[in-house]
Amino acid sequence: MGEAQKGLLSVIEKLKGTTEQEVRIVLLGLDNAGKTTLLKSLASEDVNTITPTQGFNIKSVASHGMKLNVWDIGGQRKIRPFWKKYLEKTDLLIYVIDSADKKRFEETGLELSELIDEENLKGVPVLIFANKQDLATASPASEIAEGLNLHTYRDREWQIQACSAVSGEGVQDGMNWICNNIVNKKKKK
Amino acid sequence: MAEDDSEWVVESIVGYLGSPEWLIPVTDFMENKCTVFDDEDENKLSYTEIHESYKSLVEKLLENYMQEVGINEEQFLDACTSPFAKSKTLQAVFQPVLATDDFEVFRSLMVQKNMELQLQALRVIKERNGALPECLTDGVDVMTELQQQEMKILQEVLKRSKEEYDQELSRRLLEEDFGATSSSRSLRKLTTEGEESQITTSTPSQHNDGAKAKDVQSISSCSNGHHASLVNGNTLPQTKLVSPVRDEVMEMTTTTGSGVLSSFSLKPTSECISNGAAEPTVLPAVRPIQPTINSQAAAKAWLEEAHREAGFSKPYTELSESQQEQLQQRAAYLRQQRDKLHALKKEQQKTKYTAKPEEAPPTTTTTNTTTTPTQDISAEEKKKLQKRKHLAEKLKEEVIKK
């Protein structure tokens, strides 16, 4: 029965009949990491009127001939238990870190490692944005990568990208990595 | 599979999607759940839950339908992707099905449903009442009006909370930063109050000869105790601050005391110059009680003074027993009084030497102020003098009456 249901949903998925390749991306990270700012920056929207996200935001971005559906889910502690409801059928995880918030590096590392262990994210590529590089107190991406033990990730593609969602610096580099990676992955399929 | 076959399936599906079997549960679901869907940019977490339950509802309905009609998923898919199903008219029919897979399609359907319901409600109100109530005629204006009211309330609340905060802050500042000054200020206030109360209470005390001096004494001692406790409770610089005030108070008590004393010696003086209404200022009355006087001589002097004060012209030995007793009582009291003054002066001198060593010894100062108002006497001091004079006069009157 369960199999049949899944099948039906996949049928409906095909009903849309769009020729464009769609990619589902989930954008996660601690509160105040800059997820929504990054999302708006991706969608070329105003980043000056952003308030803490209580729910989630969705933006569709066309890039490299693909439609990227990016889901930005609030990072406040009380919302984090809801994260796993949004991981199904995810093609890529973007994890955002406030590079200047050294006090919470451990907390953000724990959240990331929990996500990595999620069944729905098995083998899903991860892009880590070391955000807020415009701040003088920001740690370099290499330091953060070491702190997160990224080099131990063997089951998936990963990339850490220094960026500033406010200025837009580094964001496009990250998106390029995503598109190249997705294209490769989908081709393999 | 033949074209006709898929066409038939499409028609069947479209028919089903227009049938009450499909429409009623789906519409029910939407109408029940759409109220939380607004057109805010940010999605609520509850949307996802609703979407999930919608998915399972649609799946169940379609499963039942396919089983009933006897088509499999592949047939269903082929039919739906056929050019016939892609026509614009049919796309709208397929929207609720597509909404299962596409959250944004689902969301827009729900937002639309919510608005439809609101419009329907407005229509119902209009039908029932003939016209819409004023508050519902212009949705935008009503909204802004409500928002304005809310803003007003919010601003008021913010203003008040800021005021409270400021008050709290200033109070804390006063308490913390100016603690020393404010406490010394209040101390000074207290001492002035003490001074005043002394003056006011000593005035009515004149009515009773016996109580009079006792009152003064008790007040002076009480105010002394008051000072002492205050001084003890404070730090050294504050003691310095207080001591001049304290000296003043002491001076007052001393002069009041000597005023009392001077009134005792009034009688003989007035007798001498045979002037019943002798002015206290010109009186030689204030015989400064020297601290050096030995107790015996002092006792004699007191006795004599008491004797004269009592209006007994005869020498002490010639007086009756009751008179003698009276005199002795008087003398004892006066001696006590002198000792008090003595102690006071000693203390006064001590404090003066620590605080204001340049000031003249208290005894002379007291005498000077009562007899010859010298130097620069402030208006306040003049007032005090006047009060003392008044006091002396009253005392004199009483004594003379006796």
Side-chain angles (χ1 to χ4, degrees):
Chain A
M1 189 71 177
E3 283 282 310
Q5 270 180 355
K6 259 188 189 165
L8 184 62
L9 272 183
S10 68
V11 166
I12 293 167
E13 197 184 334
K14 283 169 195 161
L15 269 179
K16 283 196 276 187
T18 45
T19 50
E20 213 177 5
Q21 191 187 353
E22 283 196 45
V23 179
R24 180 184 163 99
I25 297 171
V26 178
L27 192 59
L28 297 173
L30 300 188
D31 47 299
N32 199 39
K35 296 179 293 298
T36 307
T37 307
L38 189 71
L39 183 79
K40 297 230 173 183
S41 166
L42 283 175
S44 312
E45 288 178 21
D46 179 30
V47 293
N48 294 314
T49 55
I50 291 162
T51 53
T53 307
Q54 305 296 323
F56 60 99
N57 298 290
I58 307 165
K59 297 275 175 224
S60 295
V61 188
S63 180
H64 296 69
M66 287 184 287
K67 190 184 174 199
L68 310 178
N69 296 317
V70 188
W71 292 56
D72 151 43
I73 297 128
Q76 289 172 25
R77 194 176 278 278
K78 64 175 199 290
I79 307 175
R80 285 178 216 161
F82 292 87
W83 282 358
K84 53 177 173 289
K85 293 191 175 186
Y86 296 86
L87 303 180
E88 214 182 320
K89 284 189 268 170
T90 295
D91 297 308
L92 189 128
L93 170 67
I94 298 178
Y95 196 77
V96 187
I97 291 170
D98 177 351
S99 309
D101 191 3
K102 293 187 178 67
K103 271 187 264 175
R104 298 210 289 168
F105 278 178
E106 199 189 329
E107 188 184 344
T108 200
L110 283 171
E111 293 290 351
L112 177 62
S113 61
E114 264 181 52
L115 284 171
I116 292 301
D117 291 340
E118 279 289 329
E119 186 61 32
N120 277 319
L121 290 180
K122 206 173 172 186
V124 169
V126 184
L127 170 65
I128 290 137
F129 268 124
N131 193 22
K132 305 201 186 179
Q133 290 294 326
D134 53 305
L135 298 179
T137 52
S139 298
S142 56
E143 211 173 277
I144 292 168
E146 211 172 301
L148 295 175
N149 291 321
L150 291 182
H151 54 276
T152 62
Y153 290 1
R154 306 275 180 222
D155 57 342
R156 72 193 73 218
E157 298 286 328
W158 62 266
Q159 171 79 19
I160 185 158
Q161 175 66 52
C163 81
S164 165
V166 176
S167 72
E169 211 182 323
V171 175
Q172 201 47 57
D173 296 326
M175 293 322 282
N176 289 340
W177 180 83
I178 288 172
C179 292
N180 292 333
N181 205 276
I182 296 290
V183 169
N184 291 340
K185 198 189 161 204
K186 294 254 166 176
K187 267 182 192 164
K188 270 180 212 165
K189 267 187 179 174
Chain B
M1 230 175 267
E3 279 280 313
D4 301 341
D5 200 11
S6 74
E7 216 167 287
W8 167 83
V9 174
V10 170
E11 266 178 41
S12 166
I13 292 169
V14 171
Y16 173 70
L17 294 179
S19 74
E21 264 172 277
W22 163 267
L23 282 177
I24 288 171
V26 171
T27 313
D28 264 4
F29 179 92
M30 287 191 162
E31 284 179 354
N32 281 328
K33 309 275 184 172
C34 73
T35 46
V36 293
F37 285 80
D38 50 38
D39 49 3
E40 290 282 316
D41 201 31
E42 192 178 300
N43 301 291
K44 294 167 188 162
L45 290 170
S46 57
Y47 293 0
T48 309
E49 262 174 68
I50 295 167
H51 191 208
E52 290 299 320
S53 43
Y54 179 75
K55 272 186 204 172
S56 52
L57 172 75
V58 170
E59 275 182 81
K60 214 159 70 189
L61 288 172
L62 287 181
E63 294 258 321
N64 288 344
Y65 159 75
M66 284 193 287
Q67 263 183 358
E68 235 173 71
V69 182
I71 54 169
N72 56 34
E73 286 156 23
E74 210 156 313
Q75 281 175 302
F76 182 82
L77 178 66
D78 281 343
C80 290
T81 49
S82 70
F84 180 57
K86 293 246 157 138
S87 67
K88 277 210 171 154
T89 44
L90 287 186
Q91 274 292 302
V93 178
F94 277 100
Q95 281 290 310
V97 182
L98 295 176
T100 55
D101 183 62
D102 194 323
F103 173 79
E104 292 197 78
V105 170
F106 175 69
R107 195 197 119 122
S108 70
L109 278 177
M110 292 302 261
V111 171
Q112 200 187 324
K113 180 56 89 181
N114 195 9
M115 273 158 77
E116 273 174 23
L117 280 187
Q118 280 180 31
L119 287 171
Q120 231 172 52
L122 284 177
R123 227 179 11 248
V124 169
I125 291 168
K126 208 171 179 178
E127 275 167 16
R128 276 194 194 158
N129 303 349
L132 279 175
E134 211 177 307
C135 63
L136 291 174
T137 45
D138 199 337
V140 182
D141 273 358
V142 170
M143 274 310 282
T144 50
E145 248 174 64
L146 279 171
Q147 278 170 341
Q148 271 175 350
Q149 271 181 343
E150 261 171 38
M151 274 307 282
K152 264 186 203 167
I153 292 166
L154 199 71
Q155 275 170 346
E156 185 65 25
V157 167
L158 281 172
K159 210 177 93 185
R160 280 194 199 165
S161 86
K162 197 188 180 302
E163 276 171 8
E164 270 170 34
Y165 174 75
D166 284 346
Q167 277 176 1
E168 175 77 25
L169 202 74
S170 59
R171 212 181 59 211
R172 221 178 289 160
L173 268 175
L174 266 174
E175 276 171 8
E176 284 170 12
D177 296 353
F178 306 111
T181 32
S182 71
S183 70
S184 69
R185 229 181 275 149
S186 63
L187 207 66
R188 218 181 277 208
K189 204 178 164 193
L190 268 172
T191 48
T192 339
E193 268 169 16
E195 216 177 321
E196 277 172 79
S197 71
Q198 192 188 338
I199 292 158
T200 47
T201 43
S202 59
T203 318
S205 74
Q206 289 149 14
H207 297 297
N208 189 312
D209 210 340
K212 153 194 70 188
K214 227 184 262 174
D215 269 6
V216 173
Q217 178 198 335
S218 68
I219 286 158
S220 65
S221 65
C222 141
S223 61
N224 262 337
H226 187 53
H227 287 309
S229 67
L230 279 173
V231 171
N232 287 345
N234 282 283
T235 48
L236 201 73
Q238 277 162 353
T239 325
K240 269 187 189 164
L241 258 172
V242 177
S243 49
V245 189
R246 187 180 147 177
D247 284 351
E248 224 176 350
V249 178
M250 290 233 196
E251 205 180 292
M252 261 298 288
T253 52
T254 322
T255 40
T256 330
S258 48
V260 174
L261 290 176
S262 72
S263 72
F264 299 155
S265 48
L266 271 180
K267 191 67 188 276
T269 327
S270 48
E271 262 177 0
C272 275
I273 51 166
S274 39
N275 185 0
E279 274 189 54
T281 37
V282 293
L283 285 175
V286 191
R287 254 186 266 159
I289 305 110
Q290 294 302 326
T292 44
I293 300 171
N294 66 54
S295 54
Q296 235 190 341
K300 226 181 191 174
W302 286 120
L303 207 63
E304 226 185 333
E305 221 159 346
H307 181 191
R308 272 180 289 177
E309 193 258 2
F312 303 126
S313 45
K314 288 178 233 169
Y316 174 68
T317 42
E318 286 169 18
L319 293 169
S320 69
E321 229 174 73
S322 65
Q323 277 174 327
Q324 273 186 15
E325 203 181 306
Q326 209 184 337
L327 273 175
Q328 236 146 14
Q329 269 179 4
R330 190 104 213 151
Y333 170 67
L334 285 172
R335 205 180 298 129
Q336 205 183 18
Q337 194 70 10
R338 184 212 55 164
D339 288 340
K340 274 252 159 65
L341 279 170
H342 196 68
L344 257 175
K345 268 170 209 161
K346 256 191 181 168
E347 211 187 321
Q348 201 176 352
Q349 266 174 327
K350 234 189 270 169
T351 46
K352 275 207 177 160
Y353 280 126
T354 50
K356 283 184 175 180
E358 76 279 354
E359 220 175 83
T363 333
T364 36
T365 328
T366 331
T367 338
N368 281 350
T369 42
T370 23
T371 47
T372 44
T374 48
Q375 292 123 24
D376 40 352
I377 297 161
S378 67
E380 209 180 17
E381 271 178 321
K382 268 184 187 168
K383 235 187 207 170
K384 271 190 219 160
L385 263 176
Q386 211 101 58
K387 263 182 186 161
R388 280 172 210 164
K389 275 184 203 169
H390 187 68
L391 185 72
E393 236 172 291
K394 278 242 173 170
L395 285 168
K396 189 185 74 188
E397 261 176 42
E398 266 182 32
V399 171
I400 288 165
K401 262 180 206 164
K402 263 194 172 177

